Amino acid sequence: MPSPAGGPVAVAAAAAAPVLGISPEMYPTEDDLAYEEEILREPFKLKGWWRYLVARAAAPFAKRAVIYERALKALPGSYKLWHAYLRERLDHARPHPISHHAYASLNNTFERALATMHKMPRVWVLYLTSLLDQRLLTRARRAFDRALRALPVTQHDRIWPLYLRLASLPACPVETSLRVFRRYLQYDPSHAEDFIDFLISANRWQEAADRLASVLNDDGFRSVKGKTKHQLWLELCEILTKHADEVAGLKVDAILRGGIRKFTDEVGKLWTSLADYYVRRTLYEKARDVFEEGVASVMTVQEFSVVFEAYTQFEQSMLAAKLEAAEEEGAGSEGEEEAGRKNGMDKLSKKFLADCWLNDEDDTDLRLARFERLLDRRPELLSSVLLRQNPHNVEEWHRRVKLFEKDPTRQVATYVEAVKTVDPMKAAGKPHTLWVAFAKMYEKHNRLDSAEEIFKKATQVNYKAVDHLASIWCEWAEMELRHNNFDKAIELMRQATAEPSVEVKRRAAAEGDEPVQLKVHKSLKLWSFYVDLEESLGTLESTRAVYERILDLRIATPQIVLNYAYLLEENKYFEDAFKVYERGVKIFKYPHVKDIWVTYLTKFVRRYQRSKLERARELFDEAVKQAPPQEKKVLYLQYAKLEEDYGLAKRAMNVYDEAVRAVPNSEKMSMYEIYIARAAELFGVPRTRQIYEQAIESGLPDRDVMTMCMKFAELERNLGEIDRARAIYVHASNYADPNSHPEFWNKWNEFEIQHGNEDTFREMLRIKRTVAASRSQTHFILPEYLMQRDQRLNLDEAVDTLKRAGVPEDEMANLERQLAPGPSMAPPPAPSTATAPANRMMNFVSAGVQAQAESSSRQQAAAANNEDIELPDESDEEEDDVQIAEKSVPAAVFGELGKRAAENREEESSGAQENEQLGALERIKRRRQ
């Protein structure tokens, strides 16, 4: 039972407080009695102490520290109590400076805790972190060593990051840090990069270079920072070159050259690093040798630019340094000379080397010359880089030769190197041009014997293409021609075109690789040059022999055949020329033989005219037989011209008729126009009617048919055949959409205005509507009153057109009365004729002739219109006797359209019966609905 407030415990505590100097707040209060009694009963149980601490979580730290101390005295091995106690002490000491006594108490508490908690890594981490924050380096180093000894190796990974943090502090001695890092590398060698970074930051270049070299030599090393061997190489090179005086024991030259061989993408940078190494060690001549080796071995233009730029900067800095030194030495030169004379060795050297240029210390001019020479050599060095990339680049060799235009010796050396280096099978370009340019250079310097020797060697090279070797022979012959050695040029061509012997061919076939020298005798380029030489310098017989040889080898082109025939014609060998044409048309096929046929036929007709007409016809027949459709037009026109000039006009018409059937569809229209024009000229205009009809029915495209019909109709109109012209327009209307071909309908409209009447004009409008409806993609079944409105609009349009044509107003008024619907908007009654169908469908107009309606309309039009065409009386009488029977269209033809129209008529008939019984107002209401 807890004691009541003011019990003996409280009284005793209050009485003892003044005596011991302890604050009364430190003593238990009445609220603590329950927890005190529990821990008194069971002092060695953590639960009671933990409940006590949790209950007094808001108490001052001093009171909670007393509770922690009492608990840890009873339970010194409790990790939970020690950890919570240390965390609270850390939080209590953190707001104070590190010199506060709270930190000393904290460190003391950690030491007491580690007496039992030395196997707990969390306690060590808290302690070591606190020591690092307090910057107690010595105590922290010793604590780290104790922790590493106390904890197992598997838990050292928690301690080493903090230890490395200690070693990286600026206040930590370098030797201490080095020892720490070396111990750490024994634990985990994979973090050598951290040690190297520390060595670089500490300016320990020697050890950093040694460590980097060992890492690079270790094939099993893997960078934890993701660095490649190449990056590590570059770091090592930077250290070796920038701190050459502080690094010893490493073969810098061998290391950098090994990197150059291994890492080819940074060769330029490595060469400059190696040269920089020697510059820092004041070995300037060695640095210059490295630069020269670098620009002579790099493979890309980018790397060359890096090395060459560094090289020029080096030479420029050497020159500038010498100039500055010369200026500084100018003032005190006299005193230095007096001091030098005191030395005996100097006196002796001055005596023997006084006049020698080696004794001249002022080498400014030499350095300046070196710098200028380097700048002048840049194009040559760059060309060398490009040739190292591809030594078989012919164009680059030509550009390299141009660099030495003022030095023929260098040009010869370059050509010799080029022809030795370039492999014709791998060459990029034409390798024979190197030999030709080499020979022309000797020719330019009047060394024909050397040039001929070069050409002779060039003809023995196994080129990739026959054309290359043929070009060599042609260039050799042209050189001889330039120097008026005509016989030798022809002899060279004979030698080049000579066919190899059978033995040579057999030997080459056995070896399996046939060189171009065995194929060059069939080179068209070589034979063309040869035949040109023979035509210019040889005789007719020798030239014919060359042409015949070309034809026998079957390497001739159509132009060769034409040239051969032209040569024979010039020398009056016409029959031989025609034989050459015959051979040409047998050798070649279309389209190559087209020019031969055209030339052959033209020359033959011009030569023999009508004397050998049958042979000419046979030739034309053979030519058009072999020709494809797209090539026949020209031949047919020539054929027809032959018949018109020397043959029969009828046969000419037959040729034209055959031509319009043979040419492709794209050329039929133009061919028909020519056919019609020639027929009209030869046989008169009426003869063209048959051709027009044939053209319209020949299957021309719709637009061409329409054009042909318009021309045909214009012809008939000019001949006075108005009805025939109108019939042609009606036929052509099937091919003319009013929306896309308005020019046709305008033409017909003008025709009807000039030569037609009301009926023909109305018929034209009806046909136009019919064609427009048939060409449209959407069809509508309109109500009856809309159809009547459209009819009224069409009637107004027709009246306006007739008024513009000059038709009298009384006649137009008569036409309006005949066609206008009644007041009830009902359609006019159908004529009561025996032939009119009883089931006339909506939107369909009869194509038959209603005799009575037409006769009455003609009589009325004849009485009113004096400009109509008057026809003979016989035609009127014959039309009165004509009885044209009309048959009803089967319902299956109309399909659904017919069914809907029949239903609409039934509804209208029933509605009409109802309307007769209804009043006018009711009918209007129903119509609106």
Side-chain angles (χ1 to χ4, degrees), residues 206-342:
Q206 179 66 50
E207 190 171 357
D210 293 338
R211 289 285 178 177
L212 269 174
S214 62
V215 164
L216 290 171
N217 292 329
D218 185 8
D219 295 334
F221 178 77
R222 296 292 181 272
S223 174
V224 296
K225 294 184 177 181
K227 292 183 179 180
T228 61
K229 285 289 187 70
H230 178 246
Q231 292 174 328
L232 297 175
W233 265 104
L234 294 180
E235 291 182 6
L236 177 59
C237 294
E238 186 176 359
I239 293 174
L240 294 177
T241 54
K242 292 185 178 180
H243 308 280
D245 297 336
E246 302 178 26
V247 178
L250 291 177
K251 297 180 180 180
V252 179
D253 190 277
I255 291 174
L256 291 179
R257 290 181 183 275
I260 290 171
R261 289 189 299 270
K262 190 173 183 180
F263 306 106
T264 57
D265 55 342
E266 289 288 346
V267 172
K269 188 174 182 179
L270 293 175
W271 278 115
T272 55
S273 299
L274 181 58
D276 190 20
Y277 167 74
Y278 286 113
V279 170
R280 293 180 184 275
R281 298 193 63 182
T282 67
L283 300 175
Y284 301 119
E285 293 300 327
K286 186 67 175 176
R288 186 176 289 107
D289 294 340
V290 170
F291 276 124
E292 287 290 340
E293 186 179 358
V295 296
S297 61
V298 292
M299 298 296 294
T300 63
V301 177
Q302 181 180 4
E303 294 167 356
F304 170 78
S305 301
V306 173
V307 179
F308 188 81
E309 185 68 23
Y311 194 5
T312 53
Q313 290 179 0
F314 165 73
E315 292 292 353
Q316 189 175 6
S317 62
M318 292 290 292
L319 179 61
K322 188 62 179 179
L323 293 175
E324 292 178 2
E327 291 177 359
E328 293 176 358
E329 292 176 359
S333 59
E334 296 180 358
E336 293 178 359
E337 289 179 359
E338 292 294 334
R341 291 192 183 95
K342 296 179 181 179

Side-chain angles (χ1 to χ4, degrees), residues 12 53 241 286 310 339 662 665 768 883:
L53 290 169
T241 54
K286 186 67 175 176
N665 292 334
K768 183 177 181 180
Q883 295 293 333

Side-chain angles (χ1 to χ4, degrees), residues 14-283:
V19 178
L20 299 177
I22 301 175
S23 174
E25 296 179 354
M26 298 293 102
Y27 287 93
T29 60
E30 292 293 333
D31 299 334
D32 300 336
L33 292 179
Y35 302 102
E36 291 287 345
E37 291 177 356
E38 182 179 2
I39 60 178
L40 286 176
R41 288 194 301 269
E42 297 177 346
F44 302 107
K45 285 190 176 181
L46 177 63
K47 183 177 180 180
W49 291 104
W50 194 255
R51 289 176 60 189
Y52 195 2
L53 290 169
V54 172
R56 295 296 171 260
F61 172 73
K63 185 174 182 178
R64 288 178 58 81
V66 171
I67 299 174
Y68 273 118
E69 291 290 345
R70 292 170 59 195
L72 291 172
K73 187 175 181 181
L75 299 171
S78 174
Y79 171 76
K80 187 173 184 179
L81 287 175
W82 277 116
H83 188 265
Y85 186 26
L86 293 173
R87 292 298 297 268
E88 288 197 24
R89 275 206 170 275
L90 279 171
D91 295 339
H92 175 69
R94 188 170 289 115
H96 303 291
I98 58 176
S99 59
H100 196 269
H101 64 86
Y103 279 100
S105 177
L106 172 64
N107 296 336
N108 187 26
T109 305
F110 270 114
E111 291 291 342
R112 290 190 294 113
L114 289 174
T116 55
M117 298 290 107
H118 58 280
K119 295 295 183 181
M120 300 300 173
R122 285 181 179 271
V123 178
W124 282 110
V125 169
L126 290 175
Y127 185 26
L128 296 174
T129 305
S130 176
L131 292 178
L132 288 176
D133 293 340
Q134 298 174 52
R135 294 296 189 270
L136 301 176
L137 301 182
T138 302
R139 188 169 182 176
R141 178 176 56 80
R142 292 174 179 173
F144 275 114
D145 294 340
R146 288 167 53 200
L148 292 174
R149 289 194 298 269
L151 294 175
V153 178
T154 56
Q155 296 180 349
H156 284 190
D157 57 339
R158 297 190 176 189
I159 305 302
W160 274 115
L162 297 175
Y163 209 171
L164 295 179
R165 178 182 164 192
L166 169 67
S168 301
L169 291 175
C172 183
V174 177
E175 286 298 329
T176 302
S177 301
L178 292 176
R179 292 176 182 274
V180 170
F181 271 105
R182 292 185 186 120
R183 288 175 59 192
Y184 176 61
L185 290 183
Q186 293 178 357
Y187 168 72
D188 188 3
S190 63
H191 288 77
E193 293 172 275
D194 297 331
F195 186 28
I196 294 171
D197 292 341
F198 173 75
L199 292 173
I200 293 174
S201 63
N203 297 330
R204 295 299 183 99
W205 308 111
Q206 179 66 50
E207 190 171 357
D210 293 338
R211 289 285 178 177
L212 269 174
S214 62
V215 164
L216 290 171
N217 292 329
D218 185 8
D219 295 334
F221 178 77
R222 296 292 181 272
S223 174
V224 296
K225 294 184 177 181
K227 292 183 179 180
T228 61
K229 285 289 187 70
H230 178 246
Q231 292 174 328
L232 297 175
W233 265 104
L234 294 180
E235 291 182 6
L236 177 59
C237 294
E238 186 176 359
I239 293 174
L240 294 177
T241 54
K242 292 185 178 180
H243 308 280
D245 297 336
E246 302 178 26
V247 178
L250 291 177
K251 297 180 180 180
V252 179
D253 190 277
I255 291 174
L256 291 179
R257 290 181 183 275
I260 290 171
R261 289 189 299 270
K262 190 173 183 180
F263 306 106
T264 57
D265 55 342
E266 289 288 346
V267 172
K269 188 174 182 179
L270 293 175
W271 278 115
T272 55
S273 299
L274 181 58
D276 190 20
Y277 167 74
Y278 286 113
V279 170
R280 293 180 184 275
R281 298 193 63 182
T282 67
L283 300 175

